[in-house]
Amino acid sequence: GGTVAFDNVVFAYDPERVILKGISFEVPAGKTVAIVGPSGAGKSTLSRLLFRFYEVTSGRITVDGQDISKVTQASLRSAIGMVPQDTVLFNDTILYNIRYGRPEASDEEVREAAQMAQIGHFVEMLPMGFKAMVGERGLKLSGGEKQRVAIARTILKAPPILILDEATSALDTNTEREIQAALDRVSRGRTTLVIAHRLSTVINADEIIVLEKGEIRERGTHGDLILQG
Ligand code: ADP
Ligand code: ADP
């Protein structure tokens, strides 16, 4: 299972200003759909609606045909894993932060997920960076490192549905390719919604949807969209 469908979704944070103006698309179970578009198009808003950070203004979002506004947030959140743009970490070890994705996971599984996300070397550290408070175990993480913690957490959780929001945007090019490989592995066979700025990062998506000013401008495979310019 895990087919996600947006059916004429309209959304406004503020009634005066409609952000998403009737969006319809489907992510078939196990497939990857990428939403691409300029800043402010409404891409992140789409992903927040699927995760139910906000409720749709009209229209509906379904998972396997079931309206998500009618399922509990807990069950929705156990089915969906999200790698957000900005990750907020707990003031505890990196291991603890990764395990949060699946508390019953074994130590070995947690370490394996950390390895896949290229952070196996600092899992015992505390991410808050206040050396004065925690001594040598304190580590100040970069945005990219925080994102890798979120990726490890998602790898461990292995949910049927994944939302990757600018998943590699905060990473440097060297680690980006390795992370991309890890994400490709974890998204294989899972229903995946990728939010991206550039077509070049979503070549393998089954469908790419170009969003502009809250409307779908174009859709197709990477090849289709490149041909259209
Ligand atoms: P490009 O499409 O060439 O990446 P953009 O203007 O979309 O150009 O983005 C430039 C940089 O700024 C990228 O690294 C992108 O990730 C980042 N960026 C742009 N808009 C946002 C946004 N709304 N949220 C987070 N990062 C953004
Ligand atoms: P994208 O991810 O494509 O850059 P967003 O979904 O982040 O676009 O934003 C779409 C529009 O919604 C933007 O005009 C942005 O300013 C607005 N917006 C985003 N988040 C909020 C919020 N929490 N409250 C009000 N407006 C918001």
Side-chain angles (χ1 to χ4, degrees), residues 187-202:
S187 64
R188 197 164 300 150
R190 295 176 202 290
T191 308
T192 307
L193 187 67
V194 182
I195 309 296
H197 284 271
R198 284 165 291 160
L199 270 180
S200 61
T201 58
V202 292

Side-chain angles (χ1 to χ4, degrees), residues 13-24:
Y13 292 100
D14 156 5
E16 306 286 283
R17 188 162 160 256
V18 178
I19 302 292
L20 296 174
K21 302 166 186 167
I23 299 294
S24 299

Side-chain angles (χ1 to χ4, degrees), residues 13 17 19 37-46 48 54 85 195 197:
Y13 292 100
R17 188 162 160 256
I19 302 292
S39 294
K43 306 183 296 296
S44 298
T45 301
L46 265 182
R48 290 177 206 133
Y54 298 94
Q85 288 184 9
I195 309 296
H197 284 271

Side-chain angles (χ1 to χ4, degrees), residues 28-107:
K31 301 290 183 189
T32 296
V33 170
I35 310 289
V36 176
S39 294
K43 306 183 296 296
S44 298
T45 301
L46 265 182
S47 67
R48 290 177 206 133
L49 291 176
L50 175 54
F51 210 60
R52 268 187 76 195
F53 281 134
Y54 298 94
E55 305 292 336
V56 299
T57 305
S58 70
R60 56 181 209 146
I61 301 171
T62 60
V63 172
D64 291 332
Q66 192 174 20
D67 190 330
I68 64 165
S69 68
K70 297 191 171 71
V71 304
T72 65
Q73 291 217 339
S75 73
L76 189 69
R77 287 177 189 189
S78 72
I80 301 178
M82 181 153 170
V83 177
Q85 288 184 9
D86 299 300
T87 301
V88 179
L89 298 178
F90 298 104
N91 190 11
D92 203 317
T93 61
I94 306 285
L95 277 177
Y96 176 92
N97 275 278
I98 296 172
R99 191 188 294 278
Y100 182 75
R102 183 156 61 87
E104 74 283 5
S106 70
D107 282 2

Side-chain angles (χ1 to χ4, degrees), residues 8 10 18 29 34 61 73-75 87 89 98 110 116 126 129 146 154 157 159 165 174 190-191 195 199 221 225:
N8 204 17
V10 173
V18 178
I61 301 171
Q73 291 217 339
S75 73
T87 301
L89 298 178
I98 296 172
V110 177
M116 281 178 77
L126 292 156
K146 278 193 213 164
T154 305
K157 184 178 164 188
D165 192 352
N174 277 341
R190 295 176 202 290
T191 308
I195 309 296
L199 270 180
T221 63
L225 296 177

